[in-house]
Amino acid sequence: MAHWFHRNPLKATTPQTFDVLRTAAKSGECNKLLTDLKLARDKLLNFLRVPEKTVEEVQAAADNYFGLLFGLINSPPGSKEGAAEPPKPKEQPAGEEGESAEAKAEAAPSPPPAGESKLRKLLLFKWTDTLHGKEASSSKDAQFEFVSMLFNLALWYTKHSAKLAGTETISLKVDEAKEVFKTLRIAAGIFQHLEQNEVSRLAQPPAKTTDFDERLLQAYSMQCLAEAQEVTLARAMELKHKNNLVSSLSAETSKMFIVAADTLNSLDAPMVAKWQRYLTLKSTIYKAYAYSYLGLSILEQDKCGVAIACLRESKSLAMKATQLCRDYARTTGPGTSAKPLEHPFFQRLQPSVQSVLDKCERENGFIYFQKVPEEAPQLDYNATHGLVKPEPYTPPSFSAAWTPKVYESFDAKKFPDARVLEAAEKDKAKPGEKDEIPPVPEPNVSTKTAYAKSDSGCVIS
């Protein structure tokens, strides 16, 4: 298992007081709810900066804020405003007898779903994008706030997993490995949920190369699944599973990384170069492992010549990965700064491949005397066990604070005029100055540099 992961920076945002809505609040309950919204947002933002926080702490803070935020996106269940019109009952044809009261009650339509909140487009939210540095995007849309914060929640899960996997102790406990595995699947599920369910609900379609570009969301999701697959593969290596199973799992892992890399091909090269080289590097490493274990599997069948061809291919890929490590380390751009050549998971690769290759060539010279094919056989990309799937994301329910009474207590007639708010925003902006937000201060995620004497470069104990 690799003990380092490329991580792009968190999205940065500006403070949000929610005070604009206080002019329309007619009750103390409304004002309290707005205060709770601000406090919940600030708390979640602070938690997301700390990868050491527990999953329970961060998820509880996210659920609390999202439950409160939903009242700014949709009108609460049971409220009168914003609800869809119920369907009209069909007219009874002339000459037919009317239905009984019981039958009419059974046929009555269910309550209409809540509609768009009257508060949705009153507040201006500003967020950066992970690949655009300090440059900010803004929108008067509470849904924009939700998808941006949800995206950051997914990034936190990836950073939390990297923190666990990069612990200074070489031995990664089974419970920690399970948490790395689970959190990466959760992150993949969130990215997938954003792409399939939430981005389409934005008031304005997202611009290309922003975080809500479907290509970026797909790349993030696939990267998370590939990294979760690394945990499965490390476990298979440590438990000495059959060589053909380890080979097919390695091949599948390699394939997942290259699919994520290919998803970024149509994007601006300098913007994603560092990220894409990471994905390509990981794909190459696991392809090398796949051929190494395939060679061992074929050697068990006394096909030493073919096994040597596999090991030579593995050695060639390991040498290519060495160059990719150097390329990654000197590439500038958003994301983690790392030197993968110094990490044990990579340091283990070439000695492991060379050791098996030497054994095969030695035995072929003394025992088998088989001809070595010019090309290695195709890898098996049809692993039957251990394939990873995303953990589906389910948004929390509306906060209990959003009662119909509280929602209806916001007086639409007292809402501030949009033109006045826009003029105030323009007055704040300095002439000729770009709309920028400082990056989120994030701690460095420590990574192992000591050597681990195991097939995967780590120990899951």
Side-chain angles (χ1 to χ4, degrees), residues 86-92 99 104 107-109:
K88 296 180 180 179
K90 294 181 180 179
E91 294 183 3
Q92 190 73 19
E99 295 178 2
K104 287 182 178 179

Side-chain angles (χ1 to χ4, degrees), residues 76-319:
S79 62
K80 295 177 182 178
E81 297 181 36
E85 287 291 326
K88 296 180 180 179
K90 294 181 180 179
E91 294 183 3
Q92 190 73 19
E96 288 189 15
E97 293 183 5
E99 295 178 2
S100 65
E102 291 81 2
K104 287 182 178 179
E106 290 179 1
S110 58
E116 183 178 294
S117 172
K118 60 189 176 184
L119 310 173
R120 175 171 171 173
K121 297 176 181 177
L122 294 175
L123 295 167
L124 182 68
F125 295 96
K126 293 183 179 181
W127 287 86
T128 59
D129 290 284
T130 54
L131 300 179
H132 289 252
K134 299 178 182 180
E135 184 181 341
S137 299
S138 60
S139 178
K140 280 190 176 181
D141 182 11
Q143 177 70 7
F144 177 68
E145 164 76 357
F146 174 55
V147 296
S148 298
M149 193 70 83
L150 185 58
F151 187 97
N152 257 11
L153 176 63
L155 283 183
W156 178 86
Y157 273 110
T158 69
K159 292 170 186 285
H160 179 69
S161 67
K163 185 68 177 178
L164 287 175
T167 179
E168 291 297 337
T169 57
I170 286 298
S171 179
L172 188 65
K173 296 179 181 178
V174 172
D175 288 345
E176 292 173 332
K178 286 181 178 178
E179 186 166 348
V180 172
F181 178 72
K182 184 174 182 179
T183 51
L184 287 167
R185 290 173 58 235
I186 291 172
I190 294 175
F191 287 126
Q192 191 176 83
H193 177 82
L194 281 165
E195 181 200 354
Q196 296 177 356
N197 300 286
E198 301 297 344
V199 172
S200 61
R201 299 188 62 215
L202 288 168
Q204 297 176 337
K208 298 294 183 183
T209 75
T210 61
D211 288 331
F212 307 120
D213 185 318
E214 63 178 7
R215 296 168 295 179
L216 287 177
L217 291 172
Q218 289 168 7
Y220 274 116
S221 180
M222 185 57 70
Q223 176 184 338
C224 291
L225 291 178
E227 290 172 349
Q229 189 80 35
E230 290 185 75
V231 183
T232 301
L233 180 56
R235 186 68 172 163
M237 289 178 176
E238 299 310 317
L239 295 180
K240 305 295 182 183
H241 281 293
K242 291 182 179 180
N243 291 319
N244 62 340
L245 173 61
V246 177
S247 175
S248 59
L249 280 175
S250 298
E252 289 285 359
T253 306
S254 172
K255 180 181 176 181
M256 294 167 79
F257 274 114
I258 205 63
V259 167
D262 289 346
T263 304
L264 301 174
N265 281 340
S266 58
L267 294 165
D268 182 42
M271 187 183 298
V272 297
K274 193 177 185 74
W275 184 12
Q276 197 168 33
R277 282 180 176 168
Y278 161 79
L279 297 170
T280 304
L281 167 60
K282 282 289 187 77
S283 176
T284 305
I285 288 171
Y286 287 109
K287 194 171 183 179
Y289 273 122
Y291 270 111
S292 178
Y293 278 90
L294 179 60
L296 288 170
S297 177
I298 290 175
L299 184 62
E300 293 169 353
Q301 305 168 35
D302 292 329
K303 298 178 180 179
C304 194
V306 180
I308 290 173
C310 291
L311 270 298
R312 287 178 179 174
E313 179 66 19
S314 179
K315 182 179 179 179
S316 174
L317 288 164
M319 292 173 66

Side-chain angles (χ1 to χ4, degrees), residues 4 8 26 33 71 133 142 144 150 247 260 265 305 331 359 402 438:
W4 71 281
N8 288 331
K26 293 198 300 183
L33 191 149
F144 177 68
L150 185 58
S247 175
N265 281 340
T331 302
K359 175 186 175 182
W402 278 110

Side-chain angles (χ1 to χ4, degrees), residues 330-345:
R330 61 172 172 249
T331 302
T332 58
T336 310
S337 294
K339 296 179 180 179
L341 280 173
E342 298 177 4
H343 290 266
F345 89 96

Side-chain angles (χ1 to χ4, degrees), residues 384-421:
T384 55
H385 300 88
L387 296 181
V388 177
K389 294 182 179 179
E391 184 84 14
Y393 174 74
T394 303
S397 304
F398 260 77
S399 168
W402 278 110
T403 64
K405 179 182 178 182
V406 168
Y407 176 74
E408 288 158 15
S409 293
F410 283 96
D411 188 352
K413 295 178 181 178
K414 294 184 179 180
F415 287 154
D417 187 276
R419 289 172 294 183
V420 174
L421 294 176

